[in-house]
Amino acid sequence: MSEVENRTASAFAGLPVGDHSNELPQKSSGLSHLRSYFSIEVTTNHADLLLLLCCLVTGFVDSTFYNGRVFWNKGNTIFVALGASGQNTRPYGWARSLSSIGFFIIGSLFFSRFNRTFGARRRGTIVSSFLLQSICILIASGLIEGGAIDGTVSRTPIVHWNQLAPIALLSFQSAGQIVSSRALDVGEIPTVVITSLLCDLFSDPLLFDSHIKNPKRNRRAAAFILTLVGAIVGGWVYKATGGVQTMLWVAAAVKFLLALSWIFWASA
């Protein structure tokens, strides 16, 4: 049968006329390439630079809430203990701290198991982790910006239970930071814990060695400085605006940019 007859028969049978044999493989190939790209492990070279930016984010968030005295409590375990013994001056203030601890634990469980399931250093895993962290901050900021939750300073002992929502979101996402620091082999930058960082920094036997010989010391010092800078900036912005949402938008934007950075990060 001639080629013309073949085409005619195909047309009458309702089949596509012409050679379409390469179309489906091309689509599948593109999808496979994308899947393969995001399943590749990223290199940990210079990963500390992105984790150091997380320290800046921690400074933004912590200083804002500490100054606002609305949601965030330092020394959460002590606040819970004082509340349990009836010594907390703010009724049910311990609930905020308990919520912060609880959702940090949940976040640690979630992100660690997420990493183990999908591969801690795979590009898709890291991008997804940072995107989720960014979304958590965005939701917290949106709740305040939209007026669902009061983001101004509160001097009264009135308990606003809806304030537990941003506490939960921010505590959950902060766990993702510290889990990522472990996964990327830069545990010397915990990103959310200053006390242990300072202890490790100043108890380092090579503290006064040159910057070339002691990169871990360099990272710890930079992490502390960036957290401090972030806290100062967050404090200034809170003082100027009287609300906590501004720096939350900035923190969410930084986290989103970090997620984008991991998309183009070099492979291992």
Side-chain angles (χ1 to χ4, degrees):
M1 188 181 287
S2 68
E3 183 179 347
V4 174
E5 291 173 329
N6 274 330
R7 287 173 178 266
T8 304
S10 297
F12 276 111
L15 299 175
V17 178
D19 185 10
H20 298 274
S21 59
N22 292 327
E23 287 187 3
L24 187 58
Q26 284 177 356
K27 291 179 182 178
S28 299
S29 176
L31 210 59
S32 298
H33 177 73
L34 192 64
R35 189 182 298 114
S36 175
Y37 180 76
F38 279 96
S39 65
I40 294 173
E41 291 192 352
V42 298
T43 181
T44 58
N45 293 337
H46 307 299
D48 56 311
L49 298 178
L50 301 190
L51 268 298
L52 286 172
L53 286 177
C54 288
C55 296
L56 194 65
V57 171
T58 296
F60 291 159
V61 175
D62 282 7
S63 68
T64 300
F65 282 103
Y66 184 79
N67 281 318
R69 299 176 187 178
V70 180
F71 310 118
W72 208 251
N73 280 320
K74 290 299 180 182
N76 284 310
T77 306
I78 300 302
F79 278 103
V80 171
L82 289 173
S85 61
Q87 299 181 60
N88 198 321
T89 57
R90 191 169 189 176
Y92 299 105
W94 54 268
R96 295 177 177 83
S97 299
L98 187 61
S99 176
S100 179
I101 294 170
F103 277 90
F104 183 82
I105 291 172
I106 293 171
S108 298
L109 286 169
F110 172 82
F111 284 105
S112 61
R113 277 154 182 74
F114 181 79
N115 283 358
R116 279 196 287 270
T117 301
F118 297 102
R121 294 184 183 176
R122 286 186 174 181
R123 191 184 310 279
T125 305
I126 300 174
V127 170
S128 299
S129 174
F130 277 86
L131 274 178
L132 181 55
Q133 293 170 44
S134 175
I135 290 169
C136 286
I137 303 175
L138 279 173
I139 294 173
S141 183
L143 288 171
I144 300 168
E145 189 73 48
I149 297 171
D150 185 13
T152 59
V153 64
S154 176
R155 302 294 181 184
T156 65
I158 298 173
V159 176
H160 300 285
W161 292 103
N162 60 3
Q163 292 178 354
L164 297 182
I167 290 177
L169 289 164
L170 294 172
S171 297
F172 180 83
Q173 69 84 30
S174 68
Q177 286 188 181
I178 193 167
V179 169
S180 295
S181 73
R182 302 294 190 268
L184 295 167
D185 201 26
V186 279
E188 64 271 15
I189 310 176
T191 73
V192 295
V193 184
I194 290 295
T195 49
S196 63
L197 185 150
L198 288 175
C199 176
D200 292 340
L201 174 62
F202 289 101
S203 62
D204 190 341
L206 305 178
L207 177 62
F208 298 107
D209 278 17
S210 70
H211 68 281
I212 298 175
K213 294 181 180 179
N214 196 350
K216 287 189 176 183
R217 183 271 322 275
N218 302 340
R219 295 183 194 118
R220 290 182 183 120
F224 173 70
I225 292 171
L226 285 172
T227 305
L228 184 63
V229 169
I232 293 171
V233 172
W236 281 342
V237 172
Y238 174 79
K239 186 176 180 180
T241 62
V244 300
Q245 63 269 35
T246 303
M247 289 313 299
L248 285 184
W249 289 119
V250 175
V254 173
K255 281 288 183 78
F256 181 74
L257 290 175
L258 289 176
L260 291 181
S261 299
W262 287 117
I263 294 177
F264 304 103
W265 202 255
S267 302

